[in-house]
C-alpha cells in the first residue's frame, strides 16, 4: 500500500496481500487495520479496491460473531461510511439542506454553467486545512474561466468553522 495513489500501485496485488494478512492473522485487530485503509483507498481513486476490501472485511467479521466492543463498532462505522460514500459515485450530488453561515439556503443555480469542485472540510481535519491554500490558488487561476469551489464544512459547531474562515 506504500505506492497507493501512484501509477506504480498494483490493485490486485494489494487485495491479495490484504486477504493474506487476514488469513495469517485472523482477528478483530487485523480487520481494524484493514478497515483503517479503506478511506485512503477510496480517496486515491481505487473505488473497486475499496469495495473489494469492504466485502473482505464483512466476511472477516462473520468469522467473529461473538466479538463486540469498540473494535467491531469502529469497523462497522467505517464500512457504513464507505458504503454511503461509494453509493454516490456516478449520481447527482444532492445538497438540499445546506446553508451558509448566515442561514441562507444553498442554491445550485448560483453555480450554473460552472465546473464546481465540492470540497468537504472541517476545522479538526488537518489534511483538509492543508489543502485550502491550494484550492484558493487553483480558484485564482481558473475562477474567471468558470471554475468554482464549493466548500462544505462538516463541523458540528458552525461557530468554530465561521471563526476559522473569518480569521
Amino acid at each position: 500500500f506504500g505506492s497507493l495513489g501512484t501509477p506504480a500501485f498494483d490493485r490486485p496485488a494489494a487485495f491479495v496481500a490484504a486477504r493474506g494478512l487476514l488469513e495469517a492473522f485472523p482477528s478483530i485487530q487485523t480487520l481494524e487495520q484493514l478497515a483503517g485503509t479503506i478511506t485512503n483507498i477510496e480517496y486515491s481513486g481505487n473505488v473497486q479496491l475499496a469495495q473489494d476490501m469492504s466485502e473482505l472485511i464483512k466476511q472477516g467479521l462473520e468469522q467473529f460473531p461473538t466479538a463486540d466492543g469498540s473494535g467491531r463498532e469502529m469497523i462497522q462505522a467505517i464500512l457504513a461510511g464507505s458504503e454511503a460514500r461509494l453509493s454516490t459515485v456516478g449520481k447527482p450530488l444532492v445538497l438540499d439542506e445546506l446553508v451558509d453561515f448566515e442561514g441562507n439556503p444553498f442554491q445550485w443555480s448560483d453555480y450554473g454553467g460552472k465546473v464546481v469542485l465540492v470540497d468537504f472540510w472541517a476545522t479538526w481535519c488537518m489534511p483538509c486545512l492543508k489543502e485550502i491554500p491550494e484550492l484558493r490558488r487553483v480558484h485564482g487561476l481558473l475562477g474567471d474561466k468558470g471554475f468554482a469551489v464549493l466548500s462544505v464544512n462538516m463541523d458540528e459547531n458552525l461557530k468554530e468553522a465561521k471563526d476559522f474562515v473569518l480569521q
Side-chain angles (χ1 to χ4, degrees), residues 31-116:
L31 291 171
E32 286 179 42
Q33 293 298 312
L34 293 174
T37 67
I38 288 181
T39 303
N40 288 337
I41 293 168
E42 285 177 39
Y43 292 176
S44 74
N46 286 284
V47 172
Q48 185 60 55
L49 178 58
Q51 292 170 328
D52 293 344
M53 290 287 288
S54 292
E55 286 304 313
L56 177 68
I57 293 165
K58 286 178 191 175
Q59 292 169 5
L61 279 174
E62 292 172 6
Q63 296 177 22
F64 307 101
T66 59
D68 56 1
S70 62
R72 185 180 198 86
E73 291 170 7
M74 181 199 71
I75 293 167
Q76 290 171 328
I78 289 171
L79 293 176
S82 177
E83 186 174 305
R85 284 186 302 276
L86 293 176
S87 71
T88 66
V89 174
K91 296 180 182 164
L93 181 60
V94 178
L95 301 172
D96 294 337
E97 297 181 21
L98 292 183
V99 295
D100 64 19
F101 289 130
E102 283 73 42
N104 301 313
F106 170 76
Q107 300 290 327
W108 267 122
S109 59
D110 293 344
Y111 296 88
K114 296 182 180 185
V115 173
V116 181

